[in-house]
Amino acid sequence: FILGLNAENCKHLPPQQLILIGGYSFGAEEFFENEAKMALRLANFISAFLQIADPKEVFSGKRVTDKPLTEDQMIAETLSLVMGNSRIWSAGTYWERNKFTNRTFFAPFAYKTQLNTRKFFVEDLARLNKSDELYINEEWYQFLKQRWSSNFDSLEKYYMKIKIRFNETGETMKKYEHYPNFYRAATLKHGYWGNPYYDCYGKVPMWKVPYAAPFFGWDSLKARLEFKGVVAVTMDLTKLDINQCPDQAYVPNAFKGTNKCDKKSSYCVPILGRGYETGGYKCECKQGYEYPFEDQITYFDGQLVEGEFLNLVDNNKTRFHTYQCRVAGSSINTVNYITLSIMLLITLIPFIRR
């Protein structure tokens, strides 16, 4: 079902069937950690800028204040996520209502339609005509907005050591005493990993794994922090490795224990890099058992075992029963018994002749 879905037949399915619930993205937090950190980096940059830079601040001398973030800057930062990591297929910076300068809604969205390309696309998702399709109604956005609506104590505190130019020529640097000398921002665990879904009506129809990280800034009175928006990225689900080996009962893995290794004589070991397909494991022999064939390897490959199991299910010719480890030293013991019998006969022949 997962690998057979495409942009055409997905339109015949109800929306609830396009979402995988129940551990189908197990391991995504570790596999796509670098991609999530890129979204977190941009979110923390926005948090730092909103909490440090004040366009209304007045300085002595000729120094001018930092200007607010512009639309072009946000579009460029969002596009850099897609350009900087080939695993990221789309990225967006979604601002809360009336939190971006001179905009009610603002959501620069960058994406690509094919892998390893120099052709990227940028869209503002706030320009959608239908209000029910607005990004503020998405599950991940609502979750983070409600989570960070009031309590910000668990946010990470980052201290700063800001230096500015001593004079106009910039020959030396001097320390800039900014109070407070820290800002609060999210960590990786403060983000939201969504359920895998098929983006049937989106810009890139494919199975995606989403991650969203929040960013924060001061309210209008600069008295407390408030939720400002979300940076979200999506990755290709089919690049994720499936783990079919057994695990603890509480582990949320939809594929755990589905390997076809012989439970009596072998055990399962995951093989990474085979993507979202069955057979990403090998069957190693247990202690007391050995590999029965004269090969360069000493295990049964999971893809071969899965293929022969399908032949068994389809009632075709199969070698599935041969993918079992044998008792260690069984063939050697048989040879030893024959050798002992021959030696015993040779020893007894002179006595029989007498």
Side-chain angles (χ1 to χ4, degrees):
F1 169 76
I2 296 177
L3 300 179
L5 206 61
N6 54 48
E8 298 298 329
N9 56 23
C10 70
K11 299 178 181 178
H12 304 293
L13 299 176
Q16 59 269 21
Q17 292 190 12
L18 300 179
I19 302 176
L20 300 178
I21 301 176
Y24 285 91
S25 61
F26 174 75
E29 292 86 351
E30 180 180 359
F31 190 80
F32 295 119
E33 182 179 359
N34 290 334
E35 289 70 33
K37 286 182 177 179
M38 293 189 67
L40 183 67
R41 178 199 61 80
L42 178 55
N44 288 358
F45 161 74
I46 300 176
S47 297
F49 189 90
L50 295 179
Q51 297 176 43
I52 298 172
D54 185 6
K56 300 180 181 180
E57 196 169 4
V58 179
F59 298 98
S60 60
K62 297 182 179 180
R63 186 186 171 190
V64 297
T65 59
D66 293 318
K67 297 180 180 180
L69 294 172
T70 64
E71 296 181 10
D72 292 340
Q73 289 174 337
M74 286 292 92
I75 292 174
E77 289 290 343
T78 306
L79 180 60
S80 67
L81 296 180
V82 183
M83 297 179 64
N85 194 319
S86 61
R87 283 186 176 181
I88 297 179
W89 282 80
S90 64
T93 305
Y94 306 90
W95 288 77
E96 175 64 356
R97 184 193 301 265
N98 295 326
K99 299 304 179 183
F100 192 79
T101 308
N102 299 327
R103 291 290 298 271
T104 303
F105 294 108
F106 183 52
F109 179 78
Y111 63 97
K112 60 185 178 183
T113 57
Q114 57 183 356
L115 189 64
N116 299 328
T117 180
R118 291 174 176 261
K119 190 175 182 180
F120 304 93
F121 304 89
V122 177
E123 179 69 54
D124 184 7
L125 297 185
R127 298 189 297 175
L128 296 176
N129 296 325
K130 299 181 181 179
S131 59
D132 57 340
E133 296 181 358
L134 201 59
Y135 61 86
I136 60 173
N137 299 322
E138 296 291 340
E139 177 190 4
W140 44 268
Y141 191 91
Q142 290 291 332
F143 176 87
L144 290 175
K145 183 180 178 180
Q146 295 173 10
R147 165 63 183 86
W148 301 105
S149 59
S150 58
N151 192 345
F152 305 95
D153 293 340
S154 62
L155 291 177
E156 190 74 17
K157 186 184 292 185
Y158 296 92
Y159 287 87
M160 303 174 295
K161 295 181 180 179
I162 303 178
K163 292 185 178 181
I164 60 175
R165 292 183 296 179
F166 181 77
N167 51 23
E168 296 180 4
T169 58
E171 296 174 357
T172 58
M173 304 290 289
K174 67 176 182 180
K175 188 176 181 181
Y176 172 51
E177 297 293 346
H178 181 278
Y179 184 80
N181 62 345
F182 64 87
Y183 65 93
R184 292 185 177 272
T187 60
L188 200 62
K189 65 180 181 180
H190 293 144
Y192 176 76
W193 288 96
N195 291 317
Y197 68 98
Y198 193 87
D199 194 6
C200 188
Y201 300 97
K203 304 294 183 181
V204 188
M206 62 187 302
W207 286 103
K208 294 180 178 179
V209 178
Y211 175 80
F215 55 87
F216 312 91
W218 296 111
D219 59 5
S220 58
L221 300 177
K222 295 196 70 174
R224 60 186 298 272
L225 291 178
E226 65 179 4
F227 174 80
K228 293 290 186 179
V230 167
V231 176
V233 293
T234 58
M235 288 72 67
D236 186 5
L237 175 67
T238 59
K239 300 299 181 183
L240 184 65
D241 291 324
I242 290 178
N243 189 351
Q244 296 181 250
C245 295
D247 211 333
Q248 300 294 334
Y250 55 82
V251 176
N253 181 8
F255 300 97
K256 67 179 178 183
T258 59
N259 66 88
K260 305 304 185 296
C261 296
D262 181 49
K263 303 299 187 294
K264 179 181 179 181
S265 61
S266 61
Y267 61 94
C268 175
V269 178
I271 297 179
L272 302 180
R274 294 191 173 180
Y276 211 76
E277 294 184 1
T278 57
Y281 60 90
K282 59 182 179 180
C283 303
E284 292 276 8
C285 296
K286 292 182 178 180
Q287 186 174 3
Y289 293 86
E290 64 181 4
Y291 187 72
F293 305 114
E294 294 290 339
D295 294 336
Q296 297 294 327
I297 59 176
T298 59
Y299 59 85
F300 300 106
D301 193 285
Q303 291 182 339
L304 297 177
V305 178
E306 292 283 343
E308 293 298 331
F309 181 78
L310 290 179
N311 291 334
L312 181 64
V313 172
D314 296 337
N315 200 22
N316 298 327
K317 292 183 179 180
T318 178
R319 297 182 299 169
F320 181 74
H321 64 281
T322 63
Y323 292 147
Q324 300 177 3
C325 299
R326 67 185 181 188
V327 177
S330 59
S331 60
I332 299 176
N333 293 336
T334 304
V335 173
N336 288 341
Y337 287 135
I338 296 175
T339 305
L340 289 175
S341 301
I342 295 175
M343 292 179 62
L344 183 61
L345 286 175
I346 295 175
T347 306
L348 294 177
I349 286 176
F351 296 97
I352 295 174
R353 290 178 177 178
R354 292 180 184 178

